[in-house]
Amino acid sequence: MAAYICVVIGVLLFTATSETLAAPSNGSDARAFIPASNDASSSDYSVCNDLMNTDNPPALDEIPWFCLCSTCQGIPGPTGQKGSTGTRGPAGPPGTAGMKGQKGAQGLRGLRGLEGLKGQKGDSGLKGNDGVTGPPGLKGDQGIKGQKGENGTSGAPGVQGPPGTPGQCAPCVGQKGDRGEQGITGPPGPQGITGLSGNKGETGLKGDKGDLGPAGGLGPIGPKGDQGPQGVCNCKDGSKGEPGQVGTLGSQGPKGAIGPQGIQGQKGDKGDMGQKGAEGSMGVPGPCTPAVQSAFSVALSGIYPKPNAPIPFNKTLYNEQGHFNLDTFIYTAPVAGAYAFTYQFTVYRKYLIAGLFRNSKLVVKSTDNEELDQLSQFVILQLDAGDKIWMQVKDINNNGAYVDINTDSTFSGFLIFPFSCDDIAPREFNNPSPTNFQWPGEDAPATTLPSNW
């Protein structure tokens, strides 16, 4: 009954206060909840005021009961059971960043970490600018004294002085001088001539009788014997006798007819090469076939040749055509054509500068400044008929050509091809031998070829 009365009173209060909610008394837009009792000051009605101040006031059934009836004192009901925890609402938006806190105190220094792996080699940097040129260095120490040079050439003999006054000599017997030092060993001499063959030795004594040889093999089967006479037999049903001797071979019968051709046999092995046939006769010369030939190859037999003269290659290896003169050591071209020349020298203990000359003009030269070496050259030249070719050394200090029993120094040349098909020129030429053997660039007077070279 009391609950019913509270509901009725609440309806009346809501009706009475509806005008007050619609028109605020203070002239502002805010709404206020006015309780119906004077002792409402003991209750908190802020929630009710918040509901009333919304833009869309809630419906009556949505207003809490204490906002409708604050003085109703109903019988308190039993305490309800605690409700289950509701589902967690969605996460709210992140809050604004708080103010930066103060810097904390510096922590203790940590332990030293392990050493990291070595990194890869970086790219090469750009080349730097050239530095400022430094001041000149101090003067260097004096170099080591060079080796003693070779003895110079002997000077001309001086003028004989006037004879001295006769000396006074009492016993006239001088003391024997000390023994002089041994001289420097000279270069080895040329190889000696091969000795004559020795006489044939005497015939040796007859040797002992040899051991008995092994037994020989079985000999061939002998000829067939003659047939024996036919035996006489009058017996019947006798035992078979022994076979008779084989008769003599009968005479050869007549030749039979030729049989059919047999099947072709397999190919036999290749036979041995036959003997070389006799050389055929020379064919008829073709059109414009030059028959001229010219080649030579000579060697040096002495060491350190003299300058200002052709090198004396007086050891002949090949000179069939005789175009290399073994008296002047000069080669003469028989025809106009292309020629090849080559030389090779062994250099020992002295420097060598050698040159190939054509008609007193230096064509090609070679230099070797080693004390033990080999020097060589090859050249092709265009020559006219009668041109002169020879070799010579520069001077006495650069003539280190050397030979011995184990090495040689050679000079060779040959005609590659003539320029025309004219007849071969004679070996004797009208143009004379050269007389100027001066090395180019020297001031020394020209030296003529010695007649007895």
Side-chain angles (χ1 to χ4, degrees):
M1 186 68 180
Y4 178 75
I5 294 172
C6 288
V7 171
V8 173
I9 294 174
V11 172
L12 292 175
L13 289 174
F14 178 77
T15 305
T17 59
S18 60
E19 294 180 0
T20 305
L21 292 171
S25 59
N26 56 3
S28 63
D29 293 337
R31 295 183 179 92
F33 178 78
I34 302 174
S37 178
N38 293 329
D39 57 354
S41 59
S42 61
S43 301
D44 186 7
Y45 298 102
S46 60
V47 176
C48 300
N49 290 329
D50 292 338
L51 291 174
M52 294 301 105
N53 289 328
T54 59
D55 294 336
N56 296 318
L60 183 62
D61 56 354
E62 295 178 354
I63 299 175
W65 63 270
F66 59 85
C67 293
L68 298 176
C69 180
S70 61
T71 60
C72 297
Q73 297 293 330
I75 300 172
T79 303
Q81 296 179 357
K82 185 178 180 179
S84 60
T85 305
T87 59
R88 187 175 182 180
T96 58
M99 297 178 63
K100 185 176 180 180
Q102 296 181 358
K103 183 177 180 181
Q106 184 176 359
L108 297 176
R109 184 175 181 179
L111 298 176
R112 182 177 181 180
L114 300 176
E115 184 176 359
L117 299 176
K118 185 177 181 181
Q120 297 180 355
K121 184 178 180 180
D123 298 333
S124 300
L126 299 176
K127 183 178 180 181
N129 298 326
D130 294 337
V132 181
T133 303
L138 300 176
K139 184 177 180 181
D141 298 332
Q142 184 175 0
I144 301 173
K145 184 177 181 180
Q147 298 179 358
K148 183 178 180 180
E150 297 182 0
N151 296 330
T153 56
S154 301
V159 180
Q160 185 175 3
T165 57
Q168 300 293 329
C169 178
C172 291
V173 177
Q175 295 181 355
K176 186 177 181 179
D178 297 333
R179 184 177 179 179
E181 297 180 357
Q182 185 176 358
I184 300 173
T185 304
Q191 185 176 1
I193 302 173
T194 304
L196 300 176
S197 301
N199 298 325
K200 185 176 181 181
E202 298 177 357
T203 305
L205 300 176
K206 185 176 181 180
D208 298 334
K209 184 177 181 180
D211 298 334
L212 183 64
L218 186 64
I221 300 174
K224 192 174 183 180
D226 298 334
Q227 185 176 1
Q230 187 174 0
V232 179
C233 181
N234 296 326
C235 57
K236 295 181 180 179
D237 298 333
S239 60
K240 187 175 181 181
E242 296 179 358
Q245 297 180 355
V246 181
T248 58
L249 183 64
S251 60
Q252 185 176 0
K255 185 177 181 181
I258 299 175
Q261 184 177 0
I263 301 173
Q264 184 177 0
Q266 296 180 354
K267 184 178 181 181
D269 298 333
K270 184 177 181 181
D272 298 333
M273 182 182 293
Q275 297 180 356
K276 184 177 180 180
E279 184 177 359
S281 57
M282 183 178 295
V284 179
C288 190
T289 303
V292 60
Q293 296 179 350
S294 180
F296 74 95
S297 184
V298 290
L300 193 64
S301 60
I303 63 173
Y304 308 150
K306 299 177 182 179
N308 300 324
I311 297 177
F313 292 99
N314 49 15
K315 181 180 178 181
T316 304
L317 303 178
Y318 179 85
N319 191 27
E320 190 69 22
Q321 293 78 28
H323 296 156
F324 185 85
N325 192 322
L326 296 174
D327 295 328
T328 61
F329 313 113
I330 296 176
Y331 172 77
T332 304
V335 293
Y339 290 80
F341 297 96
T342 179
Y343 55 85
Q344 180 271 333
F345 289 100
T346 298
V347 183
Y348 181 60
R349 297 182 64 181
K350 296 183 68 176
Y351 295 166
L352 175 62
I353 300 179
L356 180 72
F357 284 76
R358 171 191 176 188
N359 299 335
S360 299
K361 293 183 179 180
L362 180 61
V363 179
V364 62
K365 60 183 177 181
S366 302
T367 302
D368 196 309
N369 55 4
E370 298 291 337
E371 291 192 357
L372 178 59
D373 203 0
Q374 296 283 331
L375 180 147
S376 62
Q377 186 66 271
F378 178 84
V379 65
I380 296 177
L381 301 177
Q382 176 180 341
L383 302 180
D384 296 330
D387 281 353
K388 309 292 184 180
I389 300 293
W390 69 89
M391 293 200 66
Q392 65 184 73
V393 296
K394 182 178 181 181
D395 50 41
I396 193 67
N397 297 321
N398 296 278
N399 65 338
Y402 187 81
V403 295
D404 61 16
I405 59 175
N406 296 318
T407 186
D408 288 296
S409 296
T410 60
F411 178 37
S412 304
F414 59 90
L415 169 66
I416 302 175
F417 56 85
F419 290 158
S420 65
C421 296
D422 299 336
D423 295 336
I424 182 173
R427 293 183 179 179
E428 299 296 334
F429 296 93
N430 295 326
N431 49 341
S433 297
T435 58
N436 181 12
F437 298 106
Q438 182 179 356
W439 191 278
E442 291 185 349
D443 297 332
T447 304
T448 57
L449 181 68
S451 59
N452 59 349
W453 188 273

